[in-house]
Amino acid sequence: MRTLFVILFMICLTLQGYTQRVGLVLSGGGATGFAHIGVIKALEENDIPIDYITGTSAGALVGGLYASGYSPEQIEAIVLSDQFQLMSTGDMEEKYKYYIEQPDEDAELMSFRFAKDSIFQKSLPTNLLNPTYLDLELLRLLGLNPAASRKTFDSLFVPFRCNASDIVTKKSYLFKSGDLNVAVRASMTYPFFISPIEVDGKLLFDGGLYNNFPAQEMYHEFNPDFIIGSNVSYNEAPPTDDNLMSQIKNMFSSHSQYILPCDEGIIIEPDLGEIGTFDFDRIKEAIDIGYKATLAKIDSIKMFIQLRVSKEERQKARNKFNAQKTELWVRGVEVTGLEKDQGNYIERKLIREKRQSEISYEEVKYRYLRLYQSEHILSIFPTVKISPDQSQTLSLAIRKEKPFKMSFGGHYSSRPVNTGFLNISYSDFKITPLTVYANTYFGKFYGSVKTGLKFYLPTHTTAYIEPQFIMNRWDYFRSFATFFEDVKPSYIVQNEKFWSLNYYVSTSNKSKIRLDFTNGFNEDTYYQDDNFTNADTADYTSLLYYSPGFEFSINSMNRKQFASAGSRLQIRSRFVHAIERTIPGSTALITETDLPSVIHNWAYLNINYQTYFMHRGVYRLGILLEGHYSTQPFFQNYTASMLSANAFQPIPDAKTGFYNDFRANQYLAGGIMNVFTIKDLVDLRIEAYVFQSIQRIINDDGVAAYGNYFDSRFGIASISVIYHSLIGPLRATVNYFDSQTQLNPLSFQVSFGYVLFNRNGIR
């Protein structure tokens, strides 16, 4: 009788096992949450069924992908991809960066935006990472599953729930229907890291604030027979009086219960050691730890779960579900958050022809990311509406950027070339975008004022007209002095002021063309002899000119200065009609005091190409090539001719000194850049360049003349250690200029910031 009872009991257990429904609960945890992928992979390999999923934050992302029909191997490939790594930092693939929308290269180190009615209250940033690219990819991955038209998460490959946090009611908000990409994105909104989104009139944040382990939701929503929990998180320790972050975390979050609401379950807790919330470069490590932790408990799991789902059976069901999916083919666009005219502008940028047929995801991505990079757009959040005829409308919730922007920066050095920078701009758009700006550089060496506006044309290709007015002043010293040395008085002062009408048009993602007409006035005061005194009077040369110009540029450099990857090509050409007037000073060799004005006409072509073409471990190798050809005639003395000649300036510090031997009307130059990335943000740069004038300009008794062809060449070398801080580059540099006219060719400096100036008129 006893044996019969045992047999009947085992039969009952077996029958119960075949009716078991298994729920999987995934906690939040940032980068550590990707251990859930390893958990799912181990469960699938051992044929353990997964009938329901609930998740929070990173658990919502992993669970949402699995519920949408992605295998654990596919999910792993997604989160380990280069694209995901870029999204985790708010960056995007290089090919989608839109050169014409990049900010002008200036000496900005930091900036903030504000509105006129709330300079401080609403101007502080609410997030460190702009998730616009992430949101678009979540739409592609999650927004077009078969449940998209039915709007219920019970229709997914695996029924799914996730939660976010409503900070007004201080309650957890459960998603069980709607747009899956919206639900997962809301659950992932870590405070101050990712911007929150609004759903049903509620501003929602990370689900882990109030419920980081949605086991109760699993129990009450699905009532499974057995629950497997995967927990990689913990409650914040009590705050201490000297730890601000612990105080903030305790203020914003509630303690979660990392337990199961029933006896029929098991919790897997991978030991993730030192992997932190934002260690997205250690995702693979987290996945492997989750996998091993699950295998360690797999025998216990199998004791409680008798039902098995083979790999073939599971894949067949997954294929059937995925066959119902559609790709993104957008027929129309809806814009919310903007005025009607602004919305029309956005629609024209995305759907370029009213009768245009559907456009693919890749084309949508290309145009969407172009739009996002505009200085007028703060964020875009996409969803898709599917009509009964299965046509798709892209719905974009857009927030405009605050109109005012103030920027600060400059270059601060141990040499006397310190320069401050300040910029203020106003941006808005009605029918088309408009930006008005003004900036100033201030310092003993360099001063400048620039003002202008960008008026964007209502065309499908990004183009704008930019009238500008610029005043520049350079005040050159004779020596390479540091703060601890005396310096001679200025020996060259160059002033220029000009207005310019520019037309910019994009020719590709990475290139643009500028056409301009410039009218200006240059004034140079200078000494023609090194042995000048305070009693001497300087020579004076002025130039009144007009000049049409052309520039074609391609740029994919990873930094605006001290780059270590990418390429830059710049082709510039200009015609100049000018009237020169020179008044000799006391150091002039020409004694005539009443020199007539001279009319000059010339043209030039300059080509500059830089590229980093080799990357081996920590080492990167780049080259620079530059050629310049000008028909410019000589001015009325040697120094004036040198002042107007083009300068070869391959390193930033070459712009802070005046070097006769690196100026010519026709020259060829080139060099190599060796960059050793010691750590992610620390570079050792070793650079060497050669300058070869085709005909050197020589001093013939105070008058300029050409020397022999290719009769001399000069070199520049530089060694720098650079720390690329969040604000700007901090560097220690040794430079060597192989120059006959420079008193001390070797210099050392420590500096912070960028050596970038407003553009010249014709120099």
Side-chain angles (χ1 to χ4, degrees):
M1 179 66 69
R2 179 181 178 87
T3 302
L4 180 62
F5 176 79
V6 172
I7 292 173
L8 290 174
F9 180 75
M10 293 299 296
I11 292 173
C12 289
L13 284 177
T14 302
L15 292 174
Q16 182 186 11
Y18 278 101
T19 60
Q20 281 179 312
R21 308 296 286 174
V22 180
L24 178 63
V25 181
L26 307 177
S27 74
T32 61
F34 294 106
H36 302 319
I37 300 172
V39 172
I40 296 174
K41 184 192 293 187
L43 292 176
E44 277 208 357
E45 287 180 1
N46 286 273
D47 298 334
I48 304 299
I50 301 174
D51 299 297
Y52 313 106
I53 292 183
T54 59
T56 295
S57 193
L61 174 61
V62 174
L65 288 168
Y66 187 79
S68 289
Y70 294 93
S71 69
E73 291 76 20
Q74 289 175 314
I75 300 172
E76 182 175 7
I78 290 169
V79 301
L80 292 179
S81 67
D82 293 338
Q83 291 87 344
F84 188 84
Q85 288 296 318
L86 291 171
M87 287 184 283
S88 68
T89 60
D91 205 349
M92 69 180 69
E93 295 160 85
E94 195 64 36
K95 66 179 180 180
Y96 295 110
K97 292 182 180 178
Y98 199 25
Y99 179 33
I100 200 169
E101 293 287 6
Q102 298 301 309
D104 294 338
E105 291 188 348
D106 54 36
E108 176 187 316
L109 292 170
M110 64 180 70
S111 66
F112 69 94
R113 286 189 173 271
F114 59 94
K116 62 182 179 180
D117 58 343
S118 54
I119 293 180
F120 294 109
Q121 268 190 322
K122 297 180 182 178
S123 297
L124 294 175
T126 58
N127 55 285
L128 296 174
L129 180 149
N130 192 318
T132 300
Y133 182 27
L134 171 66
D135 293 338
L136 181 65
E137 284 294 288
L138 285 179
L139 174 68
R140 178 181 69 88
L141 294 168
L142 301 175
L144 291 168
N145 55 68
S149 58
R150 296 188 287 273
K151 300 294 184 181
T152 169
F153 296 168
D154 289 335
S155 299
L156 294 168
F157 175 63
V158 176
F160 174 73
R161 301 287 186 269
C162 67
N163 60 295
S165 297
D166 183 348
I167 62 172
V168 175
T169 63
K170 302 293 189 297
K171 293 181 179 179
S172 183
Y173 184 97
L174 185 67
F175 285 96
K176 59 178 73 176
S177 61
D179 295 296
L180 182 59
N181 64 305
V182 174
V184 170
R185 168 64 168 80
S187 187
M188 293 168 56
T189 304
Y190 196 89
F192 308 119
F193 185 66
I194 301 179
S195 57
I197 62 172
E198 189 173 299
V199 181
D200 296 334
K202 298 178 175 63
L203 199 64
L204 299 180
F205 287 83
D206 193 286
L209 292 179
Y210 305 136
N211 184 0
N212 205 29
F213 190 65
Q216 289 285 349
E217 285 72 10
M218 171 62 72
Y219 186 76
H220 293 294
E221 287 290 316
F222 299 119
N223 191 27
D225 299 296
F226 193 84
I227 298 176
I228 301 173
S230 177
N231 176 39
V232 296
S233 196
Y234 56 89
N235 286 317
E236 187 65 30
T240 58
D241 58 0
D242 60 348
N243 190 329
L244 177 62
M245 289 307 299
S246 73
Q247 297 169 20
I248 293 175
K249 288 180 179 178
N250 274 275
M251 281 190 288
F252 278 93
S253 62
S254 300
H255 282 198
S256 299
Q257 296 293 321
Y258 296 103
I259 58 175
L260 298 178
C262 58
D263 294 331
E264 295 78 20
I266 191 169
I267 295 180
I268 302 166
E269 295 184 296
D271 183 5
L272 292 154
E274 299 299 319
I275 300 178
T277 301
F278 301 107
D279 290 340
F280 293 104
D281 58 338
R282 301 179 69 179
I283 290 176
K284 183 65 170 74
E285 188 179 345
I287 294 172
D288 293 341
I289 292 172
Y291 179 81
K292 292 175 183 177
T294 306
L295 291 182
K297 290 194 174 184
I298 200 68
D299 290 338
S300 299
I301 293 171
K302 288 180 176 179
M303 284 179 57
F304 293 103
I305 301 174
Q306 284 76 46
L307 181 64
R308 299 288 180 266
V309 178
S310 68
K311 178 180 179 180
E312 292 75 17
E313 184 180 356
R314 196 190 312 263
Q315 192 58 44
K316 182 179 179 181
R318 183 176 283 128
N319 291 341
K320 181 179 179 181
F321 177 84
N322 288 331
Q324 304 174 62
K325 291 183 179 179
T326 59
E327 295 183 358
L328 185 67
W329 286 91
V330 174
R331 182 174 296 178
V333 175
E334 290 182 356
V335 177
T336 60
L338 300 177
E339 297 175 6
K340 183 178 179 180
D341 287 341
Q342 298 166 346
N344 291 337
Y345 172 82
I346 300 298
E347 291 177 24
R348 287 198 303 272
K349 286 293 184 181
L350 289 169
I351 306 295
R352 295 179 176 174
E353 302 292 340
K354 289 187 177 180
R355 296 182 180 180
Q356 184 175 4
S357 59
E358 297 174 325
I359 58 176
S360 67
Y361 172 77
E362 188 58 34
E363 186 63 25
V364 168
K365 181 178 180 180
Y366 180 76
R367 300 178 189 180
Y368 171 99
L369 292 178
R370 274 192 171 192
L371 185 66
Y372 150 63
Q373 291 171 73
S374 167
E375 63 178 321
H376 305 87
I377 303 297
L378 175 61
S379 67
I380 310 173
F381 189 83
T383 53
V384 169
K385 295 181 179 179
I386 300 179
S387 303
D389 63 356
Q390 298 303 303
S391 63
Q392 301 171 9
T393 298
L394 184 64
S395 181
L396 302 176
I398 297 180
R399 290 192 297 161
K400 281 179 21 179
E401 185 59 270
K402 295 180 178 67
F404 290 97
K405 178 183 177 182
M406 184 167 286
S407 306
F408 307 90
H411 176 244
Y412 307 97
S413 171
S414 58
R415 290 180 54 219
V417 291
N418 296 279
T419 306
F421 173 77
L422 174 65
N423 178 81
I424 188 167
S425 64
Y426 174 80
S427 301
D428 201 359
F429 73 97
K430 297 297 182 182
I431 298 175
T432 62
L434 176 71
T435 299
V436 182
Y437 60 85
N439 75 32
T440 180
Y441 288 82
F442 45 92
K444 169 63 178 170
F445 161 67
Y446 175 69
S448 179
V449 172
K450 180 173 78 170
T451 184
L453 65 88
K454 295 180 181 180
F455 178 77
Y456 287 81
L457 302 176
T459 56
H460 298 311
T461 300
T462 301
Y464 61 87
I465 295 172
E466 182 180 31
Q468 284 182 327
F469 175 76
I470 299 176
M471 293 193 300
N472 290 317
R473 182 179 190 273
W474 286 269
D475 192 344
Y476 293 101
F477 295 93
R478 190 60 185 167
S479 70
F480 272 123
T482 69
F483 279 142
F484 306 103
E485 300 177 47
D486 293 329
V487 298
K488 286 187 175 183
S490 308
Y491 80 111
I492 293 175
V493 177
Q494 292 188 294
N495 287 277
E496 66 174 8
K497 54 186 175 183
F498 62 92
W499 66 265
S500 180
L501 182 63
N502 308 280
Y503 170 72
Y504 287 87
V505 61
S506 172
T507 51
S508 72
N509 250 29
K510 290 299 178 186
S511 65
K512 63 183 178 182
I513 288 175
R514 184 189 79 199
L515 302 174
D516 75 85
F517 181 85
T518 300
N519 176 223
F521 184 68
N522 293 351
E523 292 181 298
D524 296 338
T525 56
Y526 50 91
Y527 294 98
Q528 296 193 55
D529 192 310
D530 291 347
N531 298 315
F532 61 87
T533 68
N534 290 332
D536 287 315
T537 58
D539 287 60
Y540 170 87
T541 296
S542 67
L543 202 70
L544 177 65
Y545 65 87
Y546 68 80
S547 174
F550 165 85
E551 179 180 304
F552 172 76
S553 55
I554 302 173
N555 191 355
S556 62
M557 290 292 196
N558 63 335
R559 300 187 183 101
K560 62 183 178 182
Q561 207 159 56
F562 312 114
S564 60
S567 299
R568 184 200 299 266
L569 172 66
Q570 189 176 51
I571 302 174
R572 295 180 295 128
S573 182
R574 183 171 292 280
F575 170 79
V576 182
H577 173 81
I579 302 173
E580 176 205 355
R581 180 170 178 260
T582 294
I583 301 175
S586 61
T587 62
L589 297 179
I590 300 174
T591 57
E592 185 179 350
T593 58
D594 188 20
L595 295 174
S597 298
V598 181
I599 296 176
H600 299 296
N601 292 286
W602 74 88
Y604 73 74
L605 173 67
N606 180 278
I607 301 176
N608 181 289
Y609 177 66
Q610 302 175 56
T611 185
Y612 289 88
F613 62 91
M614 181 185 294
H615 184 189
R616 297 287 186 271
V618 300
Y619 175 68
R620 289 177 176 175
L621 175 64
I623 61 170
L624 179 148
L625 300 172
E626 183 173 325
H628 182 84
Y629 184 84
S630 174
T631 62
Q632 180 173 335
F634 293 132
F635 285 11
Q636 290 181 306
N637 63 59
Y638 167 76
T639 304
S641 299
M642 294 303 299
L643 287 169
S644 63
N646 200 69
F648 176 58
Q649 299 171 329
I651 61 175
D653 299 322
K655 300 176 183 179
T656 64
F658 190 87
Y659 309 103
N660 284 11
D661 293 324
F662 295 93
R663 288 174 173 259
N665 289 333
Q666 302 96 26
Y667 64 81
L668 299 171
I672 59 172
M673 298 89 74
N674 302 276
V675 182
F676 300 86
T677 302
I678 302 170
K679 290 188 177 180
D680 290 344
L681 298 175
V682 179
D683 286 343
L684 170 64
R685 296 182 67 91
I686 303 174
E687 305 168 70
Y689 305 92
V690 175
F691 173 82
Q692 173 67 71
S693 57
I694 296 175
Q695 278 187 291
R696 188 181 179 198
I697 302 174
I698 61 175
N699 190 342
D700 185 9
D701 292 329
V703 179
Y706 279 125
N708 296 325
Y709 283 97
F710 303 102
D711 65 344
S712 59
R713 65 191 59 86
F714 300 95
I716 297 175
S718 177
I719 300 177
S720 302
V721 177
I722 305 173
Y723 170 62
H724 299 280
S725 72
L726 291 176
I727 300 175
L730 174 65
R731 64 189 174 106
T733 303
V734 176
N735 295 321
Y736 176 80
F737 289 84
D738 177 23
S739 174
Q740 294 179 358
T741 56
Q742 183 60 42
L743 296 179
N744 183 5
L746 194 65
S747 67
F748 170 77
Q749 69 171 320
V750 176
S751 65
F752 175 70
Y754 297 101
V755 188
L756 291 168
F757 308 133
N758 287 329
R759 77 176 184 92
N760 303 115
I762 59 170
R763 297 184 192 272

